[in-house]
Amino acid sequence: VARRLLPNPWFDFFICHHKAAAAAQARHLQILFMKRSGRHCFLDSDHLTNLQELFEIVRTRCGRLIVYLTAETLRRPWCAGEITIAWKVHKRVIAVRHPSMIMPADKDIEASQLNTYLSSAEFKLIEYGVTNDLVASAYRWLLHELQDVVCVAENSVAAGRRRFDIIVDRCLTLHNRTGVERVSLSDIENGGVLIDSK
C-alpha cells in the first residue's frame, strides 16, 4: 500500500557519479542494485540534458542517494547539485569511496572557493537554486559527518566484478541498517577505520 503512495516513477536508489571516470562502473552498480534488491535504481547520467528534472528526482522521487566518489566526482557541478539537494531535504545517503578519490582540503570547499574548485563551465548551480553556501555545507556534511560510507581499498583481495558485488552488499546492508560499523570519510582519511572489500 505504501509504495502506491510514492511518486511515479519512484527510484529506491539514485547513483551520483562522474561519467567520464566511472560510467561503466556506475552502470554495473545500477544493474546489481536492481538485481539484488528488486528495486528501481536511477543513474544520473541517463538524464544530464534536463538538470531541473534530475534535481527534482533527487528531491522527491528517490529513496537514497548513492554517491560514487572517484577523483573528480566532487568537482562536477551536477554531482554537487545532487549532493546538496539530498543534504538539504534530509535524503538518506551512502558514500562509496573509490581508491582514486582524494579528499579535498577544507579551504577548497569553502563557499568563497567553490567557483574555482568546481568544473563549472557547463552551467551555474545558482540557476537551480543551489548556492555556494549550500554546496559548502553539504560537502562538509558529506566529508565529515555522514556515517554511511563504503570504502573500496586499493589493495583489496576482491577484484573485478567481485568488488562490485561487495560494494552493493555493503550498501544494501547500510540501507537496511543491519549490523555494520558506520564511519565517516574523514575517519577513513585519518586512518581511523577502513572498510575493506574482502
Side-chain angles (χ1 to χ4, degrees), residues 12-36:
D12 294 272
F13 305 101
F14 181 114
I15 300 175
C16 167
H17 73 292
H18 176 214
K19 185 177 177 181
Q25 296 170 45
R27 181 70 67 193
H28 188 59
L29 286 171
Q30 178 194 33
I31 292 165
L32 285 176
F33 271 110
M34 292 189 299
K35 182 179 176 183
R36 295 275 177 84

Side-chain angles (χ1 to χ4, degrees), residues 120-188:
S120 56
E122 300 100 277
F123 70 96
K124 301 294 182 199
L125 286 170
I126 192 68
E127 295 172 13
Y128 301 92
V130 178
T131 66
N132 283 359
D133 287 330
L134 289 173
V135 175
S137 295
Y139 276 12
R140 280 192 300 274
W141 168 79
L142 178 79
L143 297 171
H144 301 296
E145 297 173 35
L146 177 68
Q147 296 289 302
D148 288 349
V149 177
V150 174
C151 184
V152 182
E154 191 164 11
N155 60 354
S156 170
V157 295
R161 290 185 180 190
R162 177 71 184 127
R163 179 177 286 192
F164 291 97
D165 290 337
I166 292 168
I167 290 170
V168 171
D169 287 345
R170 295 272 172 96
C171 287
L172 291 175
T173 299
L174 284 168
H175 178 70
N176 296 321
R177 297 274 191 249
T178 54
V180 66
E181 184 174 3
R182 299 173 72 214
V183 297
S184 69
L185 284 164
S186 56
D187 290 338
I188 294 167

Side-chain angles (χ1 to χ4, degrees), residues 14 16-17 55 58 65-69 73-89 91 93 130 134-135 137-143:
F14 181 114
C16 167
H17 73 292
F55 293 162
V58 174
L65 184 73
I66 308 290
V67 182
Y68 191 59
L69 292 164
T73 305
L74 295 178
R75 290 183 173 271
R76 308 312 300 164
W78 61 84
C79 294
E82 292 163 6
I83 292 164
T84 301
I85 288 167
W87 166 78
K88 190 176 176 187
V89 300
K91 191 69 61 181
V93 175
V130 178
L134 289 173
V135 175
S137 295
Y139 276 12
R140 280 192 300 274
W141 168 79
L142 178 79
L143 297 171

Side-chain angles (χ1 to χ4, degrees), residues 92-108:
R92 294 162 53 185
V93 175
I94 294 175
V96 177
R97 182 179 178 179
H98 185 271
S100 67
M101 190 259 186
I102 299 168
M103 289 280 283
D106 287 340
K107 65 178 179 58
D108 291 335

